[in-house]
Amino acid sequence: MSIALQLLINILIPTALYGLIAAGFSVFYAVSRVQHLAIGASTSAAGYAFFALVREGWGIPIALLFAIAVSVIIGLLCQALVYERLQQRRWFSSLVALLASVMLLLIVQSILLIIFGSQPKAVPLAFLQERFELLGASITLTQLIVIPVSALFLGLLALILKRSKVGVAIRATTDNPEVAEIIGINTKRIRYLTMLLVSLAAGLAGVFIALEFNLEPYASNSQAIRAFGRTIVGGTGSIPGVVLAGLLIDGAEHLGGF
């Protein structure tokens, strides 16, 4: 029983962490046809921003808000300076957008390397790493927070996409942007709103990853690849799909390791 529960916890943690990133990646690709691999950069930047403020003695709530704000700013800058400009060109294609996204990922990664160096960094909040026994399994306070908060955020995001007016506009833009424009939907505004939601998810994931693992600039690459892989398996625009894909991938990884 304890082994099975420990395996379940070990599967749910990466599913929750990378599910946030993958959900954002999937939804943004469905809306804009841009493979936003730079979401890995937003995630890492949020983690480093949280680390920097905590190290300087700022409170956790302020550090969290600042980290998410950093992620949102990076995402909106990517949209305004690169993606939106590309989409106005006749020769725009998914391949061109992919190359631009990789370029953005490498630029932010290089900036993080310059500022923080290549050595791993750990957020100095030891009490969050305190371990508890749960029916024979071991779990940290961070992990106790990550799973329900991630599930709540993903559920809220799915609800917004399903029930709200913004969600209807996002789904209409996903289905057919030309028709959406004809019926009065500002698809450019919808792309910005989608990027905002995506960056919020990435920022939250970045803080959780900073608490759960050591921070490394090159980790942004693996975060982007994990998001891409889950989107391929789970389907674009489907939050339940990417969560299920995460469970399958992480389940295979941990069960295989066991």
Side-chain angles (χ1 to χ4, degrees):
M1 176 64 184
S2 61
I3 295 176
L5 182 59
Q6 189 67 63
L7 281 171
L8 179 61
I9 292 171
N10 292 346
I11 291 168
L12 288 177
I13 293 302
T15 299
L17 290 174
Y18 299 113
L20 289 169
I21 308 172
F25 181 93
S26 176
V27 171
F28 188 73
Y29 178 72
V31 169
S32 65
R33 291 297 179 266
V34 172
Q35 298 178 41
H36 181 41
L37 292 177
I39 194 171
S42 296
T43 304
S44 289
Y48 273 104
F50 183 77
F51 160 77
L53 260 66
V54 170
R55 183 180 59 181
E56 294 301 319
W58 291 79
I60 294 177
I62 295 176
L64 174 63
L65 291 174
F66 180 74
I68 293 175
V70 168
S71 175
V72 168
I73 290 170
I74 291 175
L76 292 178
L77 284 175
C78 289
Q79 178 65 23
L81 300 179
V82 181
Y83 299 151
E84 200 61 43
R85 290 172 180 266
L86 286 176
Q87 286 175 323
Q88 295 171 3
R89 303 290 188 267
R90 292 182 178 180
W91 40 262
F92 171 80
S93 68
S94 295
L95 178 60
V96 171
L98 174 62
L99 294 174
S101 185
V102 172
M103 176 198 71
L104 292 168
L105 174 64
L106 295 176
I107 288 173
V108 176
Q109 184 176 274
S110 299
I111 293 172
L112 293 176
L113 274 168
I114 292 170
I115 296 174
F116 297 100
S118 60
Q119 295 301 314
K121 302 288 190 300
V123 178
L125 293 172
F127 74 94
L128 288 175
Q129 304 307 318
E130 183 180 349
R131 290 197 167 272
F132 302 90
E133 290 295 322
L134 180 64
L135 299 177
S138 178
I139 188 169
T140 66
L141 182 57
T142 296
Q143 293 168 346
L144 282 171
I145 296 171
V146 165
I147 296 174
V149 171
S150 297
L152 181 63
F153 187 93
L154 289 171
L156 181 61
L157 182 58
L159 191 63
I160 290 173
L161 294 176
K162 187 75 173 178
R163 298 295 177 86
S164 70
K165 290 183 179 180
V166 171
V168 171
I170 288 174
R171 286 187 283 117
T173 304
T174 298
D175 290 338
N176 195 316
E178 289 79 14
V179 173
E181 285 279 0
I182 291 172
I183 63 175
I185 295 174
N186 187 335
T187 56
K188 179 178 179 180
R189 180 168 172 264
I190 290 302
R191 287 193 292 270
Y192 275 99
L193 285 173
T194 305
M195 177 59 85
L196 175 63
L197 292 173
V198 166
S199 300
L200 287 173
L204 185 60
V207 172
F208 285 159
I209 289 172
L211 292 172
E212 180 65 16
F213 308 110
N214 287 337
L215 286 166
E216 299 180 36
Y218 294 113
S220 56
N221 295 333
S222 65
Q223 291 160 8
I225 292 170
R226 283 174 180 266
F228 181 79
R230 282 160 169 74
T231 300
I232 295 298
V233 177
T236 58
S238 172
I239 293 176
V242 296
V243 173
L244 179 59
L247 286 171
L248 291 172
I249 292 170
D250 297 321
E253 181 179 346
H254 285 86
L255 289 173
F258 173 74

